[in-house]
Amino acid sequence: MIVAKNIRVFTLDRDSLTVSWEIDNTTETLSDYTIYILRSQSDAGPFSVVSPAITASATDTFLDTGVNLYSKHRMYRYRVRVQLTADASSYTDFGNKPFSDALAGKSP
């Protein structure tokens, strides 16, 4: 399984948030994996998929235009889901905690 790390969320305007990530060094083929971006307004979730299926080799950013940044009290939390394309049940979510925690089955 590939590992998403250095997940960052930033904005350049009030109409969208950009989620970026890096893929840890691997010998696996990136095109065998699909990435989804999940969003919630709570640390505990529920998290909803807000991106289309992204081939891991295609890009390392996602522009989320479905957010309301005009409310200063609204906060968003993101996770990056890495899924084996051939097996939809084989996935790992990565968040702001060390990726070793996510790989061990702990909350990301």
Side-chain angles (χ1 to χ4, degrees):
M1 176 76 58
I2 61 173
V3 172
K5 65 178 188 175
N6 297 335
I7 300 166
R8 296 176 311 188
V9 178
F10 60 93
T11 185
L12 299 175
D13 59 36
R14 294 186 69 126
D15 295 324
S16 64
L17 288 171
T18 301
V19 181
S20 70
W21 61 91
E22 295 176 11
I23 301 296
D24 198 26
N25 292 334
T26 184
T27 58
E28 297 189 57
T29 305
L30 293 182
S31 60
D32 291 343
Y33 291 90
T34 302
I35 293 180
Y36 295 95
I37 305 302
L38 290 79
R39 179 182 68 212
S40 176
Q41 291 188 28
S42 166
D43 287 334
F47 283 83
S48 301
V49 175
V50 294
S51 73
I54 302 169
T55 303
S57 61
T59 187
D60 58 359
T61 59
F62 171 71
L63 185 66
D64 187 2
T65 57
V67 293
N68 176 3
L69 299 179
Y70 291 95
S71 172
K72 66 181 179 179
H73 300 293
R74 195 170 302 215
M75 296 183 68
Y76 296 100
R77 278 85 172 165
Y78 287 90
R79 291 186 179 169
V80 175
R81 175 170 288 172
V82 176
Q83 176 180 309
L84 191 58
T85 304
D87 181 11
S89 65
S90 179
Y91 66 86
T92 304
D93 291 348
F94 296 94
N96 61 340
K97 293 187 180 173
F99 62 81
S100 58
D101 288 354
L103 292 174
K106 298 178 183 173
S107 175

